Amino acid sequence: MMYDDLSLDNFMSGLKKRTPDEREFHQAVQEVAQSVIPFILDNPQYRDAGIFERMTEPDRTIIFRVVWEDDAGNIRVNRGYRVQFNNSIGPYKGGLRFHPSVNLSILKFLGFEQTFKNSLTTLPMGAGKGGADFNPKGKSEREIMRFCQSYMTALYQHIGPHTDIPAGDIGVGGREISYLFGQYKRLTGRFDGVLTGKALEFGGSLIRKEATGYGAAYFMQEMLAHHNEGIEGKTCVISGSGNVALYCAEKIIHLGGKVVALSDSRGFVHDPEGIDPDKLAWLVDLKTRRRGRLSEYAENFGLEFHADKKPWLVPCDLAFPCATQNELGAGDANALAQNGCIAVAEGANMPTTLEALRVFRDAKVLFGPGKAANAGGVAVSGLEMTQNSMRLAWTAEELEDRLQAIMKKIHRQCVRYGEDPSGYMNYVKGANIAGFIKVADAMLAYGVA
Ligand code: NDP
Ligand code: 2IT
């Protein structure tokens, strides 16, 4: 048996040798391997078929040049990617990120995470992730349009409603999806559900833009209810002020929580009174329509903006990291735990470092990992695909009921596999094992492939 010596250390050193310099990818795999390798050793059919070795190698990676012309007539070149990670349980599905930090390691970590997340949604979706090292900040509307058109011109042959269905992520929202969809339609002459997060006029779904943030709030609600607690009256800190953070705040406020901090890449705003629905509506308009900065919110409402600082030192009961990977380290986790934080739900993908995860676990802070807590976004993307296939649109109420039901099912799957011998509900372990089983069983069924 080739895999008789399967252990976390052996596995990780092999992976690092095969993929040098892919730091974020190693981190995401290690977090899953810590839970899944002991499970595989207890279930040798997965070990003998080399399932985890196969799952950590993407099906394929497409890397391409994106050339576009800026408003001053300069020719600009960016690098575009699509990592098609695993299509065992459905077509590749996952977002596109436009951010200067984008590289292969980051997209592989995101695609790998997506495999488990999409499995947990209970919907038939495989996993992919893509994007470009393009920085949308400071670009004009026309520059964004030209970049999106050029990006799609390079990508369109590789995607389709039955093969690979991209969506948004950091730097890619409704505006970018519209430009991408328009170009796909122009190139292929086809009008089909090849992207999700579309506008309502051309096949988009109600609640999609809210779904990730709402879902994270619902997942928190489930974790708390399972431990005889609730959101009402709790003080909450949220990082980020983008798509996920804003709608997470909206739902938390609706459920009776008090949101006292939000952030962006330049710092955080502390609002001790709590953000009310009117102030939030002002902020949503600022961020989505006027495309302004969070510091303008602080200025407008006479609040303090803490430049170049993270919000984790603000005392809270509940924390929602909703900005980006590795934004919450061990020191931040210690501060949160010492200040009495009882639960964390990740709206972002891998915002918590491995060291910080250990701090939360030792302090018995409830911790909902992104692949469970932020799965509401891709789940409603899955529902957008269903609606496109049926050529009809569900109501917002119908969709929110379905979203809530899916978040409950995800929570139940985590609980099924997550309990530690100490009695601590280890949602990281539960999500990893539950997400793994469905994909692994499909891969076993296909034979050696
Ligand atoms: P947006 O682009 O709408 O917002 C991103 C937010 O995070 C902004 O406030 C941004 O600040 C901040 N941010 C981004 N990069 C950094 C950085 N390097 N350092 C500090 N702050 C940063 O993205 P989303 O809200 O869509 O995505 C946020 C997170 O949620 C990501 O991890 C994404 O992968 C994840 N996610 C998104 C889903 C979706 O449906 N959109 C679904 C599931 C997960 P600034 O404006 O200053 O750059
Ligand atoms: O990380 C994610 O799950 C997303 N960015 C959403 C993916 C999707 O296909 O809706």
Side-chain angles (χ1 to χ4, degrees), residues 52-82:
F52 200 51
E53 285 76 4
R54 288 195 248 168
M55 261 190 204
T56 47
E57 190 65 39
D59 289 357
R60 72 189 59 74
T61 299
I62 303 147
I63 303 183
F64 45 91
R65 181 176 67 227
V66 184
V67 188
W68 56 284
E69 190 173 357
D70 69 20
D71 289 345
N74 302 306
I75 305 303
R76 308 280 287 260
V77 182
N78 285 97
R79 188 172 297 161
Y81 303 81
R82 184 73 181 165

Side-chain angles (χ1 to χ4, degrees), residues 97 99 110 117 129 137 168-172 208 212 240-245 263-266 287 293 322-325 347-349 374 377:
R97 176 177 293 191
H99 193 273
L110 288 163
K117 185 194 306 191
K129 199 85 189 188
K137 285 206 185 91
D169 193 79
I170 292 176
V172 178
R208 173 62 190 90
T212 311
S241 49
N243 174 265
V244 179
S263 71
D264 67 10
S265 60
R266 301 206 188 143
K287 297 299 292 184
R293 308 289 320 168
C322 295
T324 194
Q325 65 275 356
N349 287 307
N374 74 37

Side-chain angles (χ1 to χ4, degrees), residues 140-158:
S140 72
E141 191 69 34
R142 283 296 165 89
E143 287 175 330
I144 299 279
M145 180 191 80
R146 286 194 292 273
F147 179 81
C148 289
Q149 290 177 338
S150 187
Y151 181 89
M152 183 52 83
T153 302
L155 184 66
Y156 81 98
Q157 309 168 59
H158 304 286

Side-chain angles (χ1 to χ4, degrees), residues 9 110 311 422:
D9 286 350
L110 288 163
S422 67

Side-chain angles (χ1 to χ4, degrees), residues 29 139 146-147 154 209 228 275-276 309-310 317 322:
V29 173
K139 302 291 188 298
R146 286 194 292 273
F147 179 81
K209 89 172 165 346
N228 303 312
I275 300 173
D276 65 28
K309 294 224 162 54
K310 293 178 180 176
D317 304 307
C322 295

